[in-house]
Amino acid sequence: ELKVEQNPLFLSMQEGKNYTIYCNYSTTSDRLYWYRQDPGKSLESLFVLLSNGAVKQEGRLMASLDTKARLSTLHITAAVHDLSATYFCAVDNSGGGADGLTFGKGTHLIIQP
Amino acid sequence: DSGVTQTPKHLITATGQRVTLRCSPRSGDLSVYWYQQSLDQGLQFLIQYYNGEERAKGNILERFSAQQFPDLHSELNLSSLELGDSALYFCASSPSGRGNYGYTFGSGTRLTVV
């Protein structure tokens, strides 16, 4: 059974600081996704990582994937308050998308002025 | 607007009842996925349909069923509802049965069982 672990589960940080969220998964997969969720809202797709070594950046967020280590990271640079949200990583169960996604528990991020 | 439409947005019903949640995928997407989000279980994959056929099952209870119609919209039927079924139910769609282009989520249906 595929397990996806995120850490930390809760993160309070100050504006302007850098931090990294980690996502480990238990079985072979080369497809990993990062989503953002605001309270009571839907899941917004941030990054789709489809191969080993994939690195994608959007604004202050950068995500990477190491399939050999079964690890993805979401790095936040010079955090701003608007990035406060819950961030989820998710892994394709079969590597082919046919069995849905297994999600981590989410990282609840609060960025304080 | 993500392009994935879910109705209703909110639903309050009593234990033992049956409800139907509806999802219209993004235009051109053939796959529909249903997920349940609750505080204790987190986000869980329930079931996937691809072009009208069931493709994969996750942690879906026997009291729950789904189908995808020829126009590709999907319905999730929840019966004999229990308090523990209270959750946010998301529908997601993708162009194919694979995740190459990611998955687009709808805004969800919040189900409250009283």
Side-chain angles (χ1 to χ4, degrees):
Chain A
E1 179 190 347
L2 173 59
K3 294 189 189 305
V4 180
E5 290 189 1
Q6 282 182 244
N7 69 83
L9 296 182
F10 181 82
L11 178 57
S12 179
M13 56 192 291
Q14 287 188 314
E15 281 191 327
K17 301 290 187 184
N18 303 333
Y19 210 84
T20 301
I21 299 170
Y22 297 88
C23 175
N24 289 91
Y25 53 98
S26 61
T27 65
T28 302
S29 178
D30 58 358
R31 297 165 185 268
L32 190 135
Y33 310 83
W34 283 96
Y35 289 91
R36 168 183 172 148
Q37 186 179 37
D38 292 302
K41 302 295 185 183
S42 183
L43 292 154
E44 175 191 353
S45 178
L46 295 175
F47 299 108
V48 179
L49 303 171
L50 299 179
S51 61
N52 185 42
V55 177
K56 291 195 175 180
Q57 183 163 5
E58 181 73 33
R60 300 174 188 274
L61 301 178
M62 183 174 70
S64 66
L65 177 61
D66 181 344
T67 58
K68 293 178 182 174
R70 297 177 187 169
L71 170 69
S72 180
T73 60
L74 180 66
H75 187 73
I76 303 158
T77 302
V80 293
H81 177 69
D82 286 352
L83 291 179
S84 296
T86 300
Y87 293 85
F88 291 93
C89 66
V91 179
D92 260 336
N93 290 329
S94 67
D99 295 330
L101 296 172
T102 295
F103 282 84
K105 292 186 182 299
T107 296
H108 184 52
L109 175 63
I110 295 177
I111 299 169
Q112 305 191 15
Chain B
D1 182 5
S2 68
V4 178
T5 303
Q6 288 189 249
T7 57
K9 291 194 184 306
H10 301 277
L11 201 48
I12 302 175
T13 190
T15 55
Q17 295 299 305
R18 172 189 168 97
V19 297
T20 297
L21 313 183
R22 182 188 167 101
C23 168
S24 293
R26 202 175 52 163
S27 178
D29 286 357
L30 298 178
S31 264
V32 169
Y33 308 76
W34 287 97
Y35 291 85
Q36 179 194 60
Q37 185 177 32
S38 62
L39 283 174
D40 53 344
Q41 299 291 329
L43 272 156
Q44 289 198 99
F45 167 66
L46 297 178
I47 197 164
Q48 176 199 1
Y49 278 82
Y50 175 74
N51 203 21
E53 301 284 331
E54 182 184 303
R55 181 85 174 255
K57 268 188 174 179
N59 297 321
I60 188 166
L61 299 172
E62 285 191 11
R63 300 183 285 108
F64 296 1
S65 65
Q67 55 184 325
Q68 188 179 27
F69 295 86
D71 67 352
L72 301 178
H73 90 271
S74 177
E75 292 181 355
L76 179 67
N77 301 296
L78 315 177
S79 61
S80 303
L81 285 166
E82 302 174 0
L83 295 178
D85 297 327
S86 296
L88 197 49
Y89 290 84
F90 285 111
C91 166
S93 72
S94 70
S96 68
R98 303 177 66 86
N100 292 25
Y101 304 101
Y103 304 84
T104 304
F105 281 76
S107 58
T109 294
R110 182 170 295 281
L111 173 66
T112 303
V113 182
V114 297

